[in-house]
Amino acid sequence: MRCPAALLTLLLVLAGCAAPTPSRPALSIEPGRLPAADLALDIPGLGPCTDNPDRTLRIRSGEPVNIMVHGCFGSSGEFRSLAQVLAFHGQQSACFTYDDRAALDDSASALRRALHLLDEGGSRPAVTVIGHSQGALIARRALSDQPLTEALPAGGSKELVTVSGPFAGIKAAAPCGIGWLRVVTLGLMPASCHMVTGAKWADITWSSRFIRQPGGLATQVTRHLKIDTDERNTCRRFEGSRCVESDEIFALAEQQQPAVDGDPRTTRLELQAGHVEIIGDREVAPLKLIAALQAEGVIRPTPITQRPAFRQLLAQVYGDARLVAARP
């Protein structure tokens, strides 16, 4: 018995995968108002928010670090522009990369290990982990009380920000989690799921242990800012006035999970924005996300005198025509 062609079509959108944003040139992060770096660390998976081959992480010891975790098909360079936004406000960043086909617990374990090495590097900074889409699942798992290969490091405070995370499981992956389908397809169902997504297929269905038993947040985590996106009627790409590529990847129901939302340290926000729009791409600046992160104290306020310069930076790094045309 062959796996239905319709299922293979659905599998192509599993794991929080929007079509990948075209990568930017391999540039460095402009220093903005960042303090001078005094540490150079080589930490597997953790480096600057660029796609440069040099993955050495250069940070200022004792200063907080924002660690960003990309979604499916993403890379460190996906967050280069957001790192520029943080640098403008004097905040330093790092980006975590992982094997996109690995089990999500393996990726979360690798992130925990990176946090350990960051502490051992002499910095022991306060850390805010920001995960988008599939990266949101990995980020929360790494900062949860669930047993992984090692415990979450105790040094420095930990905060979590998740954006558009499918914490209730991915609807398109539902067939992969139905036991009787595995039987009637003579094992072809899980084989097909694994072929398309890798080992993580078993973690992203509504029936998986990863989804149904997410655990609580670790005691080191002071808060979880959970940003859900209402992606209905959004468009990523137009041809004239016609939408040719939707920006709706996850419904709100896929992002809401009582065991995650109900944690007393969790603050949930709901924003009307597309899945890619919310983090920005090469044509749209993530104005809604920046405003929310500033309102919640994740990004520092922009001084009134610096707002024209900040708008100019956004126009430059995101190529947003709305900001180029905007008056000071």
Side-chain angles (χ1 to χ4, degrees):
M1 181 181 297
R2 295 186 298 176
C3 184
L7 173 59
L8 290 177
T9 301
L10 291 174
L11 288 172
L12 294 175
V13 295
L14 293 181
C17 300
T21 301
S23 60
R24 295 177 179 276
L27 302 174
S28 62
I29 303 298
E30 295 297 324
R33 293 165 176 76
L34 287 176
D38 62 357
L39 286 178
L41 305 174
D42 292 316
I43 298 176
L46 195 63
C49 296
T50 72
D51 290 329
N52 286 337
D54 181 3
R55 305 310 302 154
T56 303
L57 178 62
R58 294 175 174 84
I59 59 173
R60 179 71 175 182
S61 59
E63 291 286 329
V65 180
N66 297 277
I67 297 177
M68 293 179 274
V69 187
H70 62 78
C72 184
F73 295 147
S75 70
S76 291
E78 177 181 319
F79 285 117
R80 177 178 174 268
S81 296
L82 189 55
Q84 296 276 138
V85 168
L86 287 159
F88 183 91
H89 294 88
Q91 296 170 258
Q92 58 187 359
S93 303
C95 277
F96 176 71
T97 57
Y98 56 91
D99 179 357
D100 189 62
R101 293 177 63 82
L104 298 188
D105 268 352
D106 291 345
S107 298
S109 293
L111 176 54
R112 271 198 192 175
R113 180 59 180 161
L115 293 174
H116 267 287
L117 293 175
L118 183 62
D119 269 15
E120 293 170 4
S123 179
R124 298 179 68 83
V127 169
T128 298
V129 181
I130 304 171
H132 174 246
S133 195
Q134 178 177 288
L137 301 183
I138 292 168
R140 191 187 184 282
R141 192 66 153 196
L143 270 62
S144 75
D145 59 8
Q146 294 292 287
L148 296 173
T149 53
E150 57 186 293
L152 189 66
S157 66
K158 307 288 188 296
E159 293 193 4
L160 172 65
V161 178
T162 59
V163 182
S164 309
F167 289 103
I170 297 172
K171 184 177 180 180
C176 295
I178 299 175
W180 64 264
L181 275 179
R182 302 179 193 180
V183 176
V184 300
T185 60
L186 303 179
L188 289 178
M189 176 68 71
S192 298
C193 295
H194 188 281
M195 176 185 68
V196 175
T197 69
K200 71 184 180 189
W201 77 268
D203 298 326
I204 59 178
T205 73
W206 63 272
S207 61
S208 72
R209 185 171 180 231
F210 187 98
I211 295 296
R212 295 172 70 89
Q213 300 178 29
L217 295 172
T219 56
Q220 299 95 316
V221 180
T222 58
R223 73 162 175 168
H224 174 197
L225 176 60
K226 182 174 183 283
I227 299 176
D228 295 341
T229 45
D230 184 349
E231 302 172 1
R232 292 173 293 182
N233 303 314
T234 59
C235 185
R236 186 177 181 189
R237 187 166 59 89
F238 288 91
E239 288 184 359
S241 60
R242 184 172 65 94
C243 180
V244 296
E245 184 179 358
S246 173
D247 203 12
E248 181 177 358
I249 302 298
F250 296 136
L252 281 170
E254 293 172 90
Q255 301 172 56
Q256 296 169 7
Q257 216 276 34
V260 173
D261 297 351
D263 191 288
R265 284 165 286 177
T266 298
T267 299
R268 180 179 171 272
L269 300 180
E270 185 177 308
L271 300 179
Q272 187 171 14
H275 196 75
V276 174
E277 174 196 356
I278 192 63
I279 58 163
D281 63 10
R282 299 193 68 172
E283 296 181 352
V284 177
L287 301 180
K288 296 175 183 178
L289 179 62
I290 292 170
L293 295 181
Q294 288 189 314
E296 293 294 329
V298 178
I299 298 178
R300 295 169 185 160
T302 308
I304 294 176
T305 57
Q306 294 298 318
R307 288 176 185 174
F310 183 44
R311 185 167 56 248
Q312 184 179 9
L313 173 74
L314 292 175
Q316 175 186 344
V317 299
Y318 287 104
D320 194 324
R322 301 170 303 172
L323 297 168
V324 173
R327 288 164 39 176

